[in-house]
Amino acid sequence: MTTAAVRDGQRDEDDRGGLRAAFGGLTTRGRSFLAAGVAAAVCAYVLGQADLLRVGLLLAVLPVLCVLVLHRTRYRVATSRRLTPQRVAAGSEARVQLRMENVSKLPTGLLMLQDHVPYTLGSRPRFVLDRVEAGGRREVSYRVRSDLRGRFPLGPLQLRLGDPFGMCELTRSFSAYDTLTVVPRTEPLPPVALSGEAVGQGEGRQRSLALAGDDDVIPRAYRHGDDLRRVHWRSTARYGELMVRGEEQPQRARCTVLLDTRRIAYRGAGPDAAFEWAVSGAASVLTHMLERGYAVRLITDTGSSVPGDGGDGFGGSGQDAADAAGLIMDTLAVVDHSEGAGLSRASEALRSGEGLLVAFLGDLDERQAALVAGMRARAGAAVAFVLDSGGRQAYGSGEGGPPAGAGGAAGERLRQLREAGWTAVAVPPGARIADVWQGAAGGRPETAQSYGGRS
């Protein structure tokens, strides 16, 4: 929640500039009255009509008087904005609640509130508030919704003051604003055993010493309160003091998601474009793997890694999984096309022992396919979803239609990846993320294609 306050009227050194701004707030009615008054005064002088002069003066003075009164009116108004929630999925709604409080000792006149909202979130909300008593408060709310990912500022809030005759309107802007983060859509994925997944990678935890069993064979000195059943008698006899077997801290299984963001690898734009499907797919997989207990990280073709390169670079193990998920989703909310032509930086960012590697790829040429094939040696298991960005149907439309197998150059790239050990799946337009994920479990591309477009 953000709070700001505005006060009508300026100090003496600001009165001159504020007065000019006040005259700039004359409405069409006020300008018409002023022009008519001046014209009547000129005609009265030319014709020598005193009555017409009085009428002209009345018409000209009324808007000027309204400007002066409105300019000198001193309201002290405080506002706050509450955004619930601050992070929403694309296509979902968020509620914005505005609260205005009159903290002065005088009642206000007619007030008009307008909040600045980007056009992607809808039209600008406007509210008209009647007289607000001294110390009184008013609350209004509106909803925003976006089908596009991104970070969108809400605000600043504008307060418009008007006189009873409608001659002048003054606008005061608050400086505070909030930010709505629209993250990619995610789909719940079924828990499947992916083909080629390394032993110890599934369901979260693995031991660093496979032959050590549940207890680490490296002993340590006995501490008060240790279970005597853990005494390691051989080490006790060797060192001459009571030794126990220490428990090994388990390591979480790892999952790395590679997102291809190259502009040349995708065609089309909008919420149903192939690139948006890839972003949503990456978000769904990362969320799913975090729920299964994996330590995850996101890598793009630019070589950037999220959560980061500190420590082992994985999130969800050393830090809270919710924090890792929030950081990754915030990154995916603003990820955009890169101008790079290759995946070499992504290959350099991968290290040995990546665990499970899931890649969302656009169009690949022969060189890039060979580069991706070489990444397989660094992971215990690897799954690649290769999108057909040249398809006529929209991704995410759910209309699918008869699936078609990848042929020509695209089929050759898939064959190259499969020969290198990847579970490579051609994703047709209209395919649902959950169905393609389910289809990849058996490592049979025809299974994934048969799911395409089913709702």
Side-chain angles (χ1 to χ4, degrees):
M1 181 173 63
T2 57
T3 304
V6 66
R7 181 178 179 180
D8 269 344
Q10 305 292 333
R11 297 188 180 273
D12 293 340
E13 60 268 21
D14 297 329
D15 278 347
R16 183 175 301 176
L19 189 59
R20 285 197 298 266
F23 274 100
L26 282 171
T27 62
T28 302
R29 179 185 299 178
R31 296 176 186 274
S32 300
F33 268 64
L34 185 60
V38 172
V42 172
C43 292
Y45 176 78
V46 173
L47 300 177
Q49 296 290 331
D51 294 337
L52 184 59
L53 179 61
R54 285 191 287 270
V55 173
L57 291 177
L58 176 62
L59 293 176
V61 167
L62 182 59
V64 174
L65 184 61
C66 290
V67 169
L68 295 177
V69 171
L70 195 61
H71 172 65
R72 299 303 299 178
T73 300
R74 296 181 184 271
Y75 295 146
R76 296 186 65 243
V77 178
T79 66
S80 64
R81 180 191 297 106
R82 184 185 298 274
L83 177 60
T84 310
Q86 293 187 338
R87 183 191 292 122
V88 297
S92 301
E93 288 186 345
R95 185 171 181 264
V96 183
Q97 184 175 6
L98 301 175
R99 181 177 180 180
M100 194 206 71
E101 182 177 1
N102 181 15
V103 296
S104 66
K105 297 181 180 180
L106 297 176
T108 69
L110 185 67
L111 300 178
M112 289 170 283
L113 298 178
Q114 175 179 283
D115 208 7
H116 280 266
V117 173
Y119 73 94
T120 54
L121 300 182
S123 58
R124 290 183 177 179
R126 295 180 175 88
F127 305 95
V128 179
L129 302 180
D130 293 331
R131 178 179 178 273
V132 181
E133 66 279 5
R137 62 186 61 177
R138 298 289 187 273
E139 291 186 358
V140 294
S141 63
Y142 63 94
R143 295 185 178 274
V144 290
R145 178 181 180 274
S146 174
D147 292 327
L148 301 176
R149 300 175 292 107
R151 293 173 60 89
F152 304 99
L154 299 177
L157 181 67
Q158 285 187 339
L159 176 65
R160 305 181 71 183
L161 308 174
D163 65 278
F165 301 100
M167 298 289 179
C168 181
E169 289 183 356
L170 296 183
T171 301
R172 296 289 184 262
S173 294
F174 296 82
S175 58
Y177 67 93
D178 289 279
T179 301
L180 174 66
T181 302
V182 181
V183 301
R185 296 184 182 94
T186 59
E187 293 185 20
L189 303 181
V192 297
L194 296 176
S195 176
E197 190 170 352
V199 177
Q201 300 286 335
E203 297 301 329
R205 300 186 183 273
Q206 62 179 356
R207 301 283 182 176
S208 59
L209 296 177
L211 300 179
D214 291 336
D215 298 328
D216 194 346
V217 298
I218 301 177
R220 61 172 175 81
Y222 174 82
R223 300 170 187 169
H224 179 71
D226 284 339
D227 191 347
L228 293 178
R229 290 175 297 181
R230 303 188 63 82
V231 174
H232 195 266
W233 298 108
R234 182 180 301 177
S235 298
T236 300
R238 178 179 178 183
Y239 293 103
E241 61 177 322
L242 200 59
M243 306 291 290
V244 297
R245 290 175 290 185
E247 292 187 9
E248 178 200 7
Q249 295 296 326
Q251 296 179 349
R252 282 193 174 184
R254 296 177 173 182
C255 175
T256 300
V257 174
L258 170 61
L259 177 61
D260 182 8
T261 65
R262 296 172 301 144
R263 187 181 300 276
I264 61 173
Y266 300 93
R267 289 185 289 272
D272 293 332
F275 178 67
E276 295 301 322
W277 193 98
V279 174
S280 295
S284 299
V285 170
L286 287 165
T287 302
H288 174 71
M289 302 311 287
L290 276 173
E291 292 173 351
R292 291 185 62 188
Y294 277 67
V296 302
R297 72 166 173 160
L298 170 69
I299 293 180
T300 65
D301 59 289
T302 61
S304 61
S305 177
V306 180
D309 295 329
D312 60 2
F314 286 82
S317 54
Q319 60 181 350
D320 185 76
D323 294 338
L327 180 59
I328 291 174
M329 295 301 287
D330 287 345
T331 302
L332 290 176
V334 296
V335 69
D336 200 358
H337 288 292
S338 70
E339 301 302 329
L343 298 167
S344 57
R345 292 184 179 179
S347 178
E348 295 172 358
L350 293 175
R351 300 186 292 267
S352 298
E354 290 288 340
L356 174 62
L357 175 60
V358 181
F360 290 86
L361 307 170
D363 294 335
L364 299 173
D365 56 24
E366 183 177 0
R367 180 179 179 182
Q368 301 309 316
L371 188 62
V372 173
M375 300 178 187
R376 175 62 183 87
R378 306 178 189 178
V383 181
F385 298 102
V386 183
L387 280 74
D388 179 14
S389 62
R392 293 178 296 176
Q393 298 165 343
Y395 279 84
S397 64
E399 297 175 357
E412 178 63 24
R413 306 293 179 261
L414 290 173
R415 184 190 62 79
Q416 187 175 356
L417 295 181
R418 291 167 188 156
E419 290 179 351
W422 285 82
T423 300
V425 179
V427 182
R432 294 176 62 242
I433 299 172
D435 293 338
V436 174
W437 176 259
Q438 179 75 44
R444 297 187 300 272
E446 63 274 12
T447 303
Q449 291 178 3
S450 66
Y451 284 107
R454 190 175 62 181
S455 57

